[in-house]
Every structure is written in structure tokens, then in C-alpha cells.
Amino acid sequence: MNSMLTNTKQILNSNTRELAFTLIEVLIVVIVLAVLAAIVVPRFSNAADGALDAAVAANVRTLNTQAEILFRTHQAQHAPESEWITTPEALKLAVNGQLPDDWTVSGNTFIAPNDQQFSFTAETSSSAAKLEDENGGTGETTNPEATPTPTPTPSPGLSTDGYTMEQIQALTGEDLLNANLTPEQMAWLTPEQLAQFDNYDLASLSQEQIQALTADQIASLSHDQFAAVAGSLSPEQLASASPQQIAALREDIYSSLSTEQAAALTEAQLAERAIADDIRTWNYFKFRNLSPEQIPYLTAEQIASIPDSYEMSTIPANCRAAFTQEQLQAINTSDVSLKYLTEAQRELLTSAQYAAIDNYFDLRYVSPTRIEDVSADLIASIPNSYEMSTISADTRAAMTTEQLQAINTSKVSLKYLTEDQRELLTAQQYADITKYTDLRYVSPDRFPDLSTDVIASIPSSYEMSTIPAVSRAAMSTEQLQAINTGNVSLGYLTESQRELLSADQYANIDDFYEIRYISPSRIADVSTDLIASIPSDYEMSKMSAATRAAMTTELVQAVNTSKVSVSYLTTDQRDQLTTSQIQNMKANDIYLLSASRITDVSTTQISSITSSYQFNKIPTSSLQAMTMDQVLAIDDDIYERYKDRFTAEQQAWR
């Protein structure tokens, strides 16, 4: 019994020694653990700090983006030069809604969880505000192990971190196209939003974003959009596409599908693809038999083979409206009119297609945004003002200088150009103007460029009056001397310009109305016929006294004294009158004659004086110069009253 107990203790003691650690072993383990802690714990601490710094930097970028949005929104709603946020406090309040929960605000300072402190620098609308730390930094992590990079320029993209589905679906226009959407947010987009992406926008998306699109979204894509993303779609997404979308894929895109993508295609998709393959063998005259759904199956080469506008017109309008962008950009615009495309389709054409247009008729279908793409030769071919008028005013206003300087101004009126555009025309274009109706559109600066022929063609005073006074005043001497003064009144010229007219131009004046504009120095150049045509005292009175006094003897002797009083002539001029003129005078004017000319008065004129007042005005010297016949013709009553003013010899005659 004792022997058994002894053996048992020995066995237990032996096992105990095998399971226990020696002191040396324990010390070694402790040392190893200490070394590991010294290495690993700082690593974890640095990683945590780095993650915190990165989070702070991301939050700073978000806040700066929000400040940028506020800035852009203000610019859109107010004048760009107006001030928007002038104090950091105001900006802080504006973006506080974007502040993360683990940040705090103290006065005018934002405090990050890593204890970095930031303040906004707010300026006027010339620059956006920026969140900066006390050292002028923008909150980027400063991990010394990281490769230093320059501070990036703030991205124009819209940060959508934290946006709800409703907020994402409210994005439109540039905000939508520039939004930095996550794959999850991509799946929220409506078909209307996806329609705003062109094929280039979609092709620039990441594969993760594209593969987040739902079956409904894929079904809503146009053929051009679908072609842009087909290669990046998952097999499941391809299988959800419509048979028409698969059938419309270009051969190079279809053949580049991966084995997995090709294997996922459905029987319906493959069957429609077979139909499309057959359609791709057709000639253009069969295109009229296609449905709108089948039009996208045509290759670009097939579309390019359409030879003229007639063949294009045979394709039903609803089928033409189904052309894809790639097909539209294959149309030969030198043979096929833009008339057969919709406005939206015309905007999808390339610049080269617009440059290839060679029929001016198509200019009526060119929008303001695309007119710069057409050739100067096409503009030069516009044959008349009517065709110019069929181009919209906005499109004409968008013409380039080169295009403007290609216009044939001998055929196309300046009326269809803006004032600024007219100033861009060449001197030769002004010299080529043949229509006097265009003169009303010529500025003073450009008037000297006009030909004398177009000035000579002005047919009337009315047309002259349509030319602004400042432009008329800018006429050169050569142009002035081309005016047809038989048709155009001198009233539309300045006094100094009238002096520059030629003697022939004055001789050509045939309207007595013009005598009011003739200076003393030029009255000698007018014709006697013009003076003879003066119909009344009123018109004679419109000629200045100095001009009347400068009339030559020939002009004086052309005055119709039966209509015009000799009171408008000087004493010397009355002595120059012919006997016939004197005998045609009104009796009331006899008193104006000198004694040397009284004898030319007829006895009929003398006997017609029945007014003592009028007779009394005749000077005694003139009465005493009268002949016997004249004295005998005087009314008896008047003679008796004034006989003492006659000579004794004259009294003896009575």
C-alpha cells in the first residue's frame, strides 16, 4: 500500500514539472510582449490619428464645398459684382448645418476632434470663402509618412455626402452632371435625370457607378447612352436591357462584349439582333420601310449613303426622329438638307457637318449656337435680302467677323445686321452697296466708304431724310457732289456742305422751295427758270435778304413780277427790271419804282390806282416824270386831290 502511494506521488511530481514554466521562460515571454507592444501600439495609435486627420480633412473639404455652393447660388441670384458674405460670422451661420457632430464651435472658430482649429476667410463675390487653420492650411492631413502633394484646386464637382434620395432627385443641369454621386446615389436617379447625361458623360462614370444602375434605369437609356455604357455593364444588367438596345449596338461594341456578357443575352435579345444584322445589309431606298424602333439598327455607313434630300424625305418623319446621335453625325449635309431633322437633332451634328453645308437655303435651320460652324463661302452665297431674312435674328446676331465679311452687300441689305456687326464690315463691302435704302443703316464712321454711285441713286428727299443727320454730315466732298439736287432737297445738308456743291448741282435745282437754303455766294449758280418759278411773295420772302440782294441782273429779270412783289428787290435791282416786268407789276408796287422807270408803267396800271393812299405813296419825283398819257390816265378825283404835286406843264395837259 505504501509502495503504491509512493509511486503515485512520483508520477504526479513528474507531470507537474513537465506542465509548469520556469522563471526564465516567463521572463522571456514578458520581454517579447514588451517589445511587441513597443512596436505595435504606436502603429495603431498613428493609424488612428491618421484616420482622424483624414476625416477632418474630408470634413473641411465638405465645408469648403458648401461655402462654394452658397457663393455660386448668390451669384446666380444677384449681380456678380455685389457683395455676398462680408463676415466670417455670417458664413459660419450659413454652413453650420453641414458641421459634423464631433466638431464644436467656439465664437468664430470651428474646432475639429483632433483639436485643429479653423476659421473662414470670407471675401466679396470676386472669390469664394475658404476654411483655413491658424497656419493658413486647408485642413489636409499632415502625416509625415505620406508623400507631400500640392494643395489641390477646389473641385467644381458637387459633394453629395449625406444627401437624401429626395435631394439627389432634385438635382438638375450642371449640379447633376458635376455631382460626385456614389454608386448607391446613382441608383436613385430618375429616367428624366439620366436623360440629361450624354453618352460622353456616361462613359466618364466609373464602373462601380455604371454597375449600380437598375434594370429600369438601363431600360430608360437612349441607344447612344446604352452604347456608351454597354461594355461596363454586368452580365445581369445586359440581360435586363431591351432587345432593341442590344440590337442597336454597333458591331464593334457588340463583338467586344466579354464571354460572360455574351452568355447572359436572352433569346429575345439575340433574335432582335439577328433582325438588325439583316437590316444592316439594306440599301438606302429601303429605309422608308423601317419602323421608328428599327431605325437605330442602321449603321453610320448606311446613313451616310443617303444621297439627297428627296431620299431623306421618303423616310417618315417619326422614323427620322429616331436617328441616334451616331447616325445623325454620319449624314452628308452637303447633299441632305437640315430641314428633315428636328431642332434637337441639328444640335447634335458635328462642326464638320455644318462646315460642309453648301446650300444657303439651310441657313434658316441653323441655330445661334451653331452658326459659327458654317463656312464663310456659304454666307457669301446668300443671294438676296429675302433669304437673309429667313435666318433667325438671333442666328444672324451670332455670326462671326469672318462670316460677316463674306456677305455680298450688293445683294443683301445691312438691315439684317446689328449696329455692331455693320461696323465689322470691310470698306469694300460698303463700297459694294448698291441699294440707297441701305444708307439709313450706315454710321457716320463708315459713310465715307460708300460709293458716289449709291449716293447719286438717292431718288427723293424722303429717302435722304431716312439717313441719320450725323451720317449725312459725314459725307465727303466727292459724295456731296454726287447728289442729284433735282430730286434731293438741300435742306438735308449743312450750310458748309451746300457750299461744297458744284455749280451744275445748283443749276440743276428745279424746286423753288430750295431757294431758302441758297447762300448769297451761290445764288448766281441757280437757273433763271428756278427764279421764274417762284409763285408768291411768301416763297420769295423765304430767300434771305442777302441772297436776294446777290441776284444777278439775269436772275432779277426772271422774277415773275405779276406774282412776286418788287419790294423784295433792292432799288438797283428794280432799275434792272425789264419794261415787260414793270408792266406786269401790281399797281400797288408802282410807288417802288424810281423816276427813271416810272415812264415804263402802262396807262392801264395808272388808271387802276383808285386808292388815294396808294397814289400818295408815289414819290413826287416819279409823278413829275410821268408822260402825258400817264397823267391823262390818272383817276379824276385822285388827280384833283394831288394836282399840286405835278408840274405846270403836266397840269396843262389835263
Side-chain angles (χ1 to χ4, degrees), residues 70 89 171:
L70 292 169
E89 291 85 350
L171 295 175

Side-chain angles (χ1 to χ4, degrees), residues 98-166:
Q98 299 292 319
L99 196 68
D101 293 336
D102 53 357
W103 284 57
T104 58
V105 180
S106 176
N108 187 41
T109 303
F110 294 92
I111 304 174
N114 64 353
D115 294 330
Q116 279 186 279
Q117 296 185 4
F118 300 86
S119 296
F120 272 103
T121 58
E123 301 178 16
T124 63
S125 61
S126 61
S127 61
K130 182 183 290 185
L131 191 67
E132 295 184 343
D133 64 20
E134 58 185 4
N135 295 319
T138 56
E140 297 292 341
T141 179
T142 55
N143 185 351
E145 295 183 7
T147 302
T149 56
T151 302
T153 302
S155 170
L158 174 65
S159 174
T160 56
D161 294 343
Y163 273 35
T164 64
M165 180 184 293
E166 289 75 14

Side-chain angles (χ1 to χ4, degrees), residues 256-299:
S256 67
L257 296 177
S258 69
T259 303
E260 292 78 10
Q261 288 175 314
L265 298 178
T266 67
E267 290 185 7
Q269 290 172 328
L270 293 173
E272 193 67 23
R273 182 72 190 185
I275 294 173
D277 287 341
D278 177 57
I279 290 173
R280 290 187 176 96
T281 66
W282 289 10
N283 291 324
Y284 63 81
F285 53 81
K286 296 178 67 176
F287 298 168
R288 68 193 72 179
N289 300 319
L290 293 174
S291 67
E293 293 73 24
Q294 293 172 321
I295 285 291
Y297 302 166
L298 296 171
T299 66

Side-chain angles (χ1 to χ4, degrees), residues 69 73 156-158 160 170-181:
I69 293 171
T73 301
L158 174 65
T160 56
L171 295 175
T172 59
E174 293 299 320
D175 286 341
L176 173 63
L177 298 179
N178 293 330
N180 298 317
L181 299 176

Side-chain angles (χ1 to χ4, degrees), residues 86 121 129 177 203 222 230 258 322 409 444 483 520:
T86 56
T121 58
L177 298 179
S222 70
S258 69
T409 51
I483 294 172

